[in-house]
Amino acid sequence: MTEKTIEFEGIEPVIVFGPYDSYLKKVREAFPDIRINARGAKITIGGDEPDLTAIEKIFREIIFLADQHGEVLENDVNALVSLALSPVSRPSAALSGDKDVIVETKDYVVKAKTDGQRRMVAEAAGNDIVFAIGPAGTGKTYTAVAIAVSAWKAKKIKRIVLARPAVEAGESLGFLPGDLAQKIDPYLRPLYDALQDMLTAEKLKFLTERRVIEIVPLAYMRGRTLNNSFIILDEAQNASSKQMMMCLTRLGVNSKAIITGDVTQVDLPKEMESGLMNAQKILKGIKGISFVFLDKSDVVRHRLVKDIINAYEHHEKGLRHVAPKETEL
């Protein structure tokens, strides 16, 4: 019999174990031959493989969700247990053919969790340029980064280039503290966050220092030709039409690109058309270019994000349907 210990910090045990230990009981019921003891922020499991490894993955994924989102839903636990009981999840989901797995790290598996994310993965496999358009929280950026990291790990490409427009949404860069790199860093931080989930800090530092992974403002892409590369343009709704064309024409031999954006969050001046919106009209129907549209059903953030999107949609519809008042004569 083998024994393993899983520990976590900075998370309330009730979030990991569920109300009245309901999540803990659910795992115990699914794996009755495995001994599971939980005390404080420590879980000890004992038993035989492959069930032991399957349970370890369940709890590590639960801890990850709790750390990232501050909560774990019952549906999340049900899905994790169902996946662990599935034959394709043992001993390794990636090696045994789980089609939802995008990239597997040492600590956990990055999977497509919604239909929209699965479409992104499928379209990226069959097209050189994919546009992923949808609201906040649908995992567009995270999925795109996972696809790129997977392609690099499989040695299909040699470099990953991630870009974002540095649009001044209500603030002037000139008034922000620090040098140019420090001013621009906040715009690029979400891309770093996604990469840090998929690569160790040491590996990410090593790859960025050797420019295997580049994270740059969109303006820095001008004049380059990128061969054997995977390009991601994030927040593309804030790129102008000229910038969009410039970015797309950086593609060299054996390169791919994923363009992500949310057309409801454009920060460009009113007189400037979004390059993302323009691209939908101009590039539609070109072979090798695919458009994937995600919606609120693909939201994977905090449960309130979906409610917030619904509320704003209803508000916007209400404003559009308010009839103008008649002028009394």
Side-chain angles (χ1 to χ4, degrees), residues 10-158:
I11 305 170
E12 290 292 331
V14 68
I15 298 176
V16 175
F17 303 140
Y20 303 104
D21 289 342
S22 57
Y23 301 163
L24 199 59
K25 292 174 183 175
K26 194 178 294 289
V27 178
R28 282 174 175 155
E29 289 171 1
F31 298 90
D33 295 331
I34 299 295
R35 177 174 51 81
I36 305 173
N37 293 324
R39 177 173 294 182
K42 179 189 285 189
I43 308 164
T44 304
I45 55 177
D48 298 324
E49 300 290 358
D51 287 349
L52 200 66
T53 297
I55 291 176
E56 182 183 14
K57 286 187 176 183
I58 289 174
F59 282 118
R60 291 199 183 281
E61 186 74 13
I62 289 173
I63 291 166
F64 171 76
L65 290 171
D67 182 54
Q68 293 291 305
H69 305 296
E71 69 170 356
V72 179
L73 303 179
E74 186 176 357
N75 286 343
D76 295 328
V77 179
N78 289 338
L80 290 169
V81 171
S82 295
L83 177 64
L85 290 172
S86 171
V88 300
S89 67
R90 305 179 186 188
S92 166
L95 295 177
S96 53
D98 185 347
K99 63 182 180 181
D100 287 341
V101 172
I102 307 174
V103 62
E104 190 169 15
T105 73
K106 180 181 178 181
D107 296 323
Y108 63 96
V109 174
V110 179
K111 300 181 297 178
K113 295 184 177 180
T114 70
D115 288 340
Q117 292 175 12
R118 293 185 188 98
R119 289 197 303 272
M120 282 183 65
V121 175
E123 293 301 319
N127 296 275
D128 287 338
I129 297 176
V130 175
F131 286 81
I133 302 171
T138 50
K140 304 180 299 295
T141 302
Y142 199 87
T143 303
V145 172
I147 293 169
V149 170
S150 176
W152 175 77
K153 284 192 168 188
K155 298 183 179 180
K156 295 179 181 178
I157 49 98
K158 295 181 178 179

